[in-house]
Amino acid sequence: MAAGTGYAVLALLLTLLRAAPERAALLARLRTMGLTRAQGRRLLILESLPQALLAAAGGTVTAWSAIRLLSPGIDLTTIAVSTASSPAGRAALRTDPVSLLLPALAVVALTVGIAAAQAWWTGRRGSVRELRAGDAR
């Protein structure tokens, strides 16, 4: 789970670095037309939400369906009960809503946090530097 989280953070940061100059230039142009810093922050957050929500929903559905499909073939009794005698019941693999929703909510929160950080970082620059952001000259 830690490796998956690390890869997700790395992918979001690399996406941020790749698209930062274009977004900064777009925000600078929109600010010259009257967009406030708060509106720019909301714009960046709302721009990143659809893909984050789809990724969270897709991951949740994939995890739920994998557990439902694998549970009949996996018997956790030998792992859960370490006695040599026959246990009274069977330890079955089942879905847990908290363990499915927590990573999905973390992905959405991480995406919103990175978009807000990018909006804050872009807002710290001067207007001339913002207008030159992404400029090849």
Side-chain angles (χ1 to χ4, degrees):
M1 188 162 163
T5 304
Y7 284 130
V9 169
L10 181 64
L12 284 171
L13 288 176
L14 289 175
T15 302
L16 170 72
L17 288 175
R18 183 187 56 81
E22 294 88 10
R23 284 187 176 160
L26 175 67
L27 279 176
R29 288 184 195 103
L30 289 173
R31 283 191 182 130
T32 59
M33 291 186 253
L35 187 75
T36 64
R37 291 186 193 274
Q39 289 172 337
R41 191 175 316 119
R42 279 194 301 263
L43 177 69
L44 284 181
I45 290 171
L46 289 175
E47 180 185 27
S48 65
L49 269 181
Q51 64 187 8
L53 290 175
L54 284 174
T60 302
V61 168
T62 301
W64 179 80
S65 62
I67 291 171
R68 297 286 291 176
L69 290 172
L70 293 175
S71 65
I74 296 178
D75 184 19
L76 298 176
T77 307
T78 57
I79 297 172
V81 181
S82 62
T83 61
S85 65
S86 176
R90 182 172 180 253
L93 185 63
R94 62 179 177 81
T95 58
D96 181 27
V98 173
S99 66
L100 291 177
L101 292 178
L102 188 64
L105 293 175
V107 165
V108 172
L110 183 66
T111 304
V112 167
I114 287 178
Q118 182 183 9
W120 172 79
W121 183 260
T122 304
R124 290 185 63 222
R125 296 173 137 180
S127 60
V128 173
R129 287 189 67 189
E130 285 182 14
L131 289 173
R132 293 256 180 216
D135 197 10
R137 291 182 263 160

